[in-house]
Amino acid sequence: MEKNYYPVFLQLKNKQCVVVGGGDVAARKVAALLACDAVVRVISPEIVPELQALADTNRIEAICRPYTRESLADAFIVIAATNNQQVNQLVAEHCHEDGIPVNVADAPHLCDFIVPATIRRGPLTIAVSTGGSLPAMAKKICRQLEGDFDESYGELLTALGQARTQVLDQIPDPARRKRIFTALAAEDLLSTIHQGGRAALDKRIEEIIQHTK
């Protein structure tokens, strides 16, 4: 029976995340967690050089021994990414019993959450999931979308985020704020970036803010 997953973006900054496994798959999982400023603990008898380098520079905590239930202490989420299905299943069972969300690589039936394929453009994150049925297809769809969402989207959203803060700080009227935000969303600001760069974008955003009453 297929699972219906609830799409959500997690705030992992300073949260304890545990990765069980020390191979290439685990290394990719760790890199994604570190990109979100998570506190990462890796449990594995052996770890690949990439993970060892992170441990040597105190980017992660590496405990080089076999998995035990105590390894899950204080975990916010857990990822099981060993090449041993029995170990992965044991990790999942312990997490389910302890109420800790767990992801098991290549075993969606054991997962409380799955990790989608993603495109990141500054503040913009586009996530694509096939519900665990075929992750390779999600990656293919992401590659198709990459051409439609270039780096200018990140630059635009950064500028709009700054503009939103400005409007909230300087304009007390909620109705006018709403009109400004609607105007900003309706304007073809991507063309402004492509034609004139960031300076032209900032100028146009300021014009919209000032002229929208």
Side-chain angles (χ1 to χ4, degrees), residues 9-36:
F9 289 90
L10 290 176
Q11 165 61 277
L12 295 182
K13 186 174 183 178
N14 298 327
K15 296 290 197 322
Q16 180 69 69
C17 300
V18 174
V19 177
V20 182
D24 292 334
V25 174
R28 290 196 296 272
K29 303 294 186 181
V30 167
L33 292 171
L34 290 177
C36 296

mmCIF file of all heavy atoms in Angstrom, residues 9-36:
data_model
loop_
_atom_site.group_PDB
_atom_site.id
_atom_site.type_symbol
_atom_site.label_atom_id
_atom_site.label_comp_id
_atom_site.label_asym_id
_atom_site.label_seq_id
_atom_site.Cartn_x
_atom_site.Cartn_y
_atom_site.Cartn_z
ATOM 1 N N PHE A 9 9.054 21.369 5.035
ATOM 2 C CA PHE A 9 10.462 21.745 5.084
ATOM 3 C C PHE A 9 10.852 21.888 6.549
ATOM 4 O O PHE A 9 10.214 22.637 7.293
ATOM 5 C CB PHE A 9 10.705 23.071 4.347
ATOM 6 C CG PHE A 9 10.575 22.953 2.862
ATOM 7 C CD1 PHE A 9 9.353 23.149 2.234
ATOM 8 C CD2 PHE A 9 11.676 22.634 2.076
ATOM 9 C CE1 PHE A 9 9.227 23.046 0.861
ATOM 10 C CE2 PHE A 9 11.559 22.530 0.703
ATOM 11 C CZ PHE A 9 10.334 22.725 0.088
ATOM 12 N N LEU A 10 11.882 21.179 6.983
ATOM 13 C CA LEU A 10 12.294 21.164 8.379
ATOM 14 C C LEU A 10 13.400 22.183 8.648
ATOM 15 O O LEU A 10 14.315 22.344 7.840
ATOM 16 C CB LEU A 10 12.814 19.778 8.775
ATOM 17 C CG LEU A 10 11.797 18.643 8.872
ATOM 18 C CD1 LEU A 10 12.530 17.332 9.188
ATOM 19 C CD2 LEU A 10 10.754 18.930 9.940
ATOM 20 N N GLN A 11 13.314 22.838 9.782
ATOM 21 C CA GLN A 11 14.387 23.701 10.264
ATOM 22 C C GLN A 11 15.339 22.813 11.078
ATOM 23 O O GLN A 11 14.991 22.329 12.154
ATOM 24 C CB GLN A 11 13.809 24.821 11.127
ATOM 25 C CG GLN A 11 14.829 25.570 11.987
ATOM 26 C CD GLN A 11 15.904 26.255 11.177
ATOM 27 O OE1 GLN A 11 16.880 25.628 10.789
ATOM 28 N NE2 GLN A 11 15.727 27.539 10.948
ATOM 29 N N LEU A 12 16.537 22.601 10.568
ATOM 30 C CA LEU A 12 17.490 21.700 11.212
ATOM 31 C C LEU A 12 18.654 22.418 11.882
ATOM 32 O O LEU A 12 19.532 21.759 12.458
ATOM 33 C CB LEU A 12 18.050 20.697 10.189
ATOM 34 C CG LEU A 12 17.052 19.719 9.586
ATOM 35 C CD1 LEU A 12 17.762 18.773 8.629
ATOM 36 C CD2 LEU A 12 16.313 18.933 10.662
ATOM 37 N N LYS A 13 18.667 23.746 11.838
ATOM 38 C CA LYS A 13 19.787 24.464 12.427
ATOM 39 C C LYS A 13 19.936 24.120 13.906
ATOM 40 O O LYS A 13 18.990 24.223 14.685
ATOM 41 C CB LYS A 13 19.600 25.975 12.268
ATOM 42 C CG LYS A 13 20.802 26.769 12.742
ATOM 43 C CD LYS A 13 20.651 28.253 12.436
ATOM 44 C CE LYS A 13 21.891 29.033 12.854
ATOM 45 N NZ LYS A 13 21.776 30.468 12.518
ATOM 46 N N ASN A 14 21.148 23.668 14.259
ATOM 47 C CA ASN A 14 21.503 23.297 15.634
ATOM 48 C C ASN A 14 20.714 22.102 16.163
ATOM 49 O O ASN A 14 20.724 21.838 17.366
ATOM 50 C CB ASN A 14 21.336 24.492 16.585
ATOM 51 C CG ASN A 14 22.241 25.644 16.228
ATOM 52 O OD1 ASN A 14 23.356 25.444 15.740
ATOM 53 N ND2 ASN A 14 21.778 26.871 16.453
ATOM 54 N N LYS A 15 20.042 21.356 15.271
ATOM 55 C CA LYS A 15 19.332 20.153 15.682
ATOM 56 C C LYS A 15 20.258 18.940 15.535
ATOM 57 O O LYS A 15 21.012 18.831 14.574
ATOM 58 C CB LYS A 15 18.079 19.946 14.834
ATOM 59 C CG LYS A 15 17.014 21.039 14.984
ATOM 60 C CD LYS A 15 16.355 20.994 16.316
ATOM 61 C CE LYS A 15 15.037 21.753 16.391
ATOM 62 N NZ LYS A 15 14.944 22.999 15.663
ATOM 63 N N GLN A 16 20.165 18.009 16.495
ATOM 64 C CA GLN A 16 20.997 16.807 16.451
ATOM 65 C C GLN A 16 20.433 15.819 15.435
ATOM 66 O O GLN A 16 19.306 15.343 15.574
ATOM 67 C CB GLN A 16 21.047 16.141 17.826
ATOM 68 C CG GLN A 16 21.900 14.872 17.878
ATOM 69 C CD GLN A 16 23.380 15.171 17.714
ATOM 70 O OE1 GLN A 16 23.998 15.754 18.590
ATOM 71 N NE2 GLN A 16 23.942 14.747 16.595
ATOM 72 N N CYS A 17 21.205 15.515 14.422
ATOM 73 C CA CYS A 17 20.812 14.563 13.393
ATOM 74 C C CYS A 17 21.832 13.428 13.376
ATOM 75 O O CYS A 17 23.037 13.679 13.377
ATOM 76 C CB CYS A 17 20.749 15.235 12.023
ATOM 77 S SG CYS A 17 19.564 16.604 11.948
ATOM 78 N N VAL A 18 21.345 12.215 13.344
ATOM 79 C CA VAL A 18 22.217 11.034 13.409
ATOM 80 C C VAL A 18 22.179 10.302 12.073
ATOM 81 O O VAL A 18 21.098 10.029 11.536
ATOM 82 C CB VAL A 18 21.780 10.087 14.537
ATOM 83 C CG1 VAL A 18 22.602 8.791 14.505
ATOM 84 C CG2 VAL A 18 21.926 10.771 15.888
ATOM 85 N N VAL A 19 23.347 10.011 11.544
ATOM 86 C CA VAL A 19 23.472 9.215 10.327
ATOM 87 C C VAL A 19 24.187 7.920 10.684
ATOM 88 O O VAL A 19 25.324 7.945 11.171
ATOM 89 C CB VAL A 19 24.255 9.962 9.227
ATOM 90 C CG1 VAL A 19 24.434 9.076 8.000
ATOM 91 C CG2 VAL A 19 23.541 11.252 8.853
ATOM 92 N N VAL A 20 23.509 6.805 10.464
ATOM 93 C CA VAL A 20 24.106 5.497 10.727
ATOM 94 C C VAL A 20 24.636 4.969 9.401
ATOM 95 O O VAL A 20 23.867 4.688 8.481
ATOM 96 C CB VAL A 20 23.094 4.522 11.338
ATOM 97 C CG1 VAL A 20 23.770 3.180 11.646
ATOM 98 C CG2 VAL A 20 22.475 5.112 12.602
ATOM 99 N N GLY A 21 25.945 4.857 9.303
ATOM 100 C CA GLY A 21 26.582 4.452 8.059
ATOM 101 C C GLY A 21 27.754 5.362 7.761
ATOM 102 O O GLY A 21 27.737 6.543 8.145
ATOM 103 N N GLY A 22 28.756 4.837 7.075
ATOM 104 C CA GLY A 22 29.948 5.632 6.826
ATOM 105 C C GLY A 22 30.445 5.599 5.406
ATOM 106 O O GLY A 22 31.574 5.990 5.135
ATOM 107 N N GLY A 23 29.593 5.183 4.466
ATOM 108 C CA GLY A 23 29.996 5.088 3.078
ATOM 109 C C GLY A 23 29.630 6.317 2.263
ATOM 110 O O GLY A 23 29.323 7.381 2.810
ATOM 111 N N ASP A 24 29.623 6.152 0.949
ATOM 112 C CA ASP A 24 29.362 7.277 0.051
ATOM 113 C C ASP A 24 27.932 7.805 0.195
ATOM 114 O O ASP A 24 27.702 9.017 0.121
ATOM 115 C CB ASP A 24 29.619 6.859 -1.394
ATOM 116 C CG ASP A 24 31.095 6.602 -1.681
ATOM 117 O OD1 ASP A 24 31.939 7.196 -0.975
ATOM 118 O OD2 ASP A 24 31.404 5.818 -2.593
ATOM 119 N N VAL A 25 26.976 6.895 0.378
ATOM 120 C CA VAL A 25 25.586 7.331 0.556
ATOM 121 C C VAL A 25 25.460 8.160 1.827
ATOM 122 O O VAL A 25 24.856 9.239 1.835
ATOM 123 C CB VAL A 25 24.625 6.125 0.596
ATOM 124 C CG1 VAL A 25 23.207 6.587 0.930
ATOM 125 C CG2 VAL A 25 24.634 5.389 -0.732
ATOM 126 N N ALA A 26 26.057 7.670 2.892
ATOM 127 C CA ALA A 26 26.033 8.414 4.154
ATOM 128 C C ALA A 26 26.691 9.779 3.996
ATOM 129 O O ALA A 26 26.218 10.780 4.543
ATOM 130 C CB ALA A 26 26.733 7.611 5.248
ATOM 131 N N ALA A 27 27.783 9.823 3.238
ATOM 132 C CA ALA A 27 28.486 11.095 3.039
ATOM 133 C C ALA A 27 27.597 12.108 2.332
ATOM 134 O O ALA A 27 27.603 13.304 2.667
ATOM 135 C CB ALA A 27 29.765 10.863 2.239
ATOM 136 N N ARG A 28 26.810 11.650 1.352
ATOM 137 C CA ARG A 28 25.887 12.565 0.664
ATOM 138 C C ARG A 28 24.810 13.056 1.624
ATOM 139 O O ARG A 28 24.429 14.238 1.601
ATOM 140 C CB ARG A 28 25.251 11.871 -0.534
ATOM 141 C CG ARG A 28 26.225 11.608 -1.679
ATOM 142 C CD ARG A 28 25.494 11.291 -2.970
ATOM 143 N NE ARG A 28 24.716 10.066 -2.876
ATOM 144 C CZ ARG A 28 25.183 8.861 -3.147
ATOM 145 N NH1 ARG A 28 26.449 8.713 -3.523
ATOM 146 N NH2 ARG A 28 24.409 7.795 -3.063
ATOM 147 N N LYS A 29 24.315 12.177 2.469
ATOM 148 C CA LYS A 29 23.301 12.570 3.452
ATOM 149 C C LYS A 29 23.876 13.593 4.431
ATOM 150 O O LYS A 29 23.216 14.574 4.785
ATOM 151 C CB LYS A 29 22.804 11.347 4.213
ATOM 152 C CG LYS A 29 22.219 10.234 3.353
ATOM 153 C CD LYS A 29 20.952 10.650 2.660
ATOM 154 C CE LYS A 29 20.320 9.465 1.928
ATOM 155 N NZ LYS A 29 19.083 9.831 1.207
ATOM 156 N N VAL A 30 25.093 13.366 4.862
ATOM 157 C CA VAL A 30 25.746 14.277 5.808
ATOM 158 C C VAL A 30 25.936 15.650 5.177
ATOM 159 O O VAL A 30 25.684 16.680 5.808
ATOM 160 C CB VAL A 30 27.094 13.697 6.274
ATOM 161 C CG1 VAL A 30 27.921 14.752 6.996
ATOM 162 C CG2 VAL A 30 26.863 12.499 7.182
ATOM 163 N N ALA A 31 26.373 15.680 3.927
ATOM 164 C CA ALA A 31 26.590 16.958 3.241
ATOM 165 C C ALA A 31 25.292 17.763 3.175
ATOM 166 O O ALA A 31 25.290 18.982 3.389
ATOM 167 C CB ALA A 31 27.147 16.720 1.843
ATOM 168 N N ALA A 32 24.185 17.087 2.901
ATOM 169 C CA ALA A 32 22.897 17.776 2.823
ATOM 170 C C ALA A 32 22.473 18.311 4.189
ATOM 171 O O ALA A 32 21.923 19.412 4.292
ATOM 172 C CB ALA A 32 21.830 16.825 2.282
ATOM 173 N N LEU A 33 22.747 17.562 5.241
ATOM 174 C CA LEU A 33 22.402 18.016 6.590
ATOM 175 C C LEU A 33 23.256 19.209 7.003
ATOM 176 O O LEU A 33 22.757 20.171 7.596
ATOM 177 C CB LEU A 33 22.586 16.870 7.581
ATOM 178 C CG LEU A 33 21.603 15.701 7.448
ATOM 179 C CD1 LEU A 33 22.042 14.539 8.332
ATOM 180 C CD2 LEU A 33 20.185 16.135 7.814
ATOM 181 N N LEU A 34 24.547 19.151 6.697
ATOM 182 C CA LEU A 34 25.432 20.267 7.046
ATOM 183 C C LEU A 34 25.045 21.537 6.299
ATOM 184 O O LEU A 34 25.190 22.647 6.832
ATOM 185 C CB LEU A 34 26.884 19.896 6.741
ATOM 186 C CG LEU A 34 27.514 18.834 7.651
ATOM 187 C CD1 LEU A 34 28.923 18.517 7.176
ATOM 188 C CD2 LEU A 34 27.522 19.283 9.099
ATOM 189 N N ALA A 35 24.539 21.385 5.084
ATOM 190 C CA ALA A 35 24.100 22.551 4.319
ATOM 191 C C ALA A 35 22.938 23.257 5.001
ATOM 192 O O ALA A 35 22.684 24.438 4.739
ATOM 193 C CB ALA A 35 23.705 22.134 2.907
ATOM 194 N N CYS A 36 22.241 22.540 5.875
ATOM 195 C CA CYS A 36 21.120 23.116 6.638
ATOM 196 C C CYS A 36 21.529 23.444 8.073
ATOM 197 O O CYS A 36 20.668 23.660 8.932
ATOM 198 C CB CYS A 36 19.948 22.142 6.643
ATOM 199 S SG CYS A 36 19.264 21.833 5.009
#
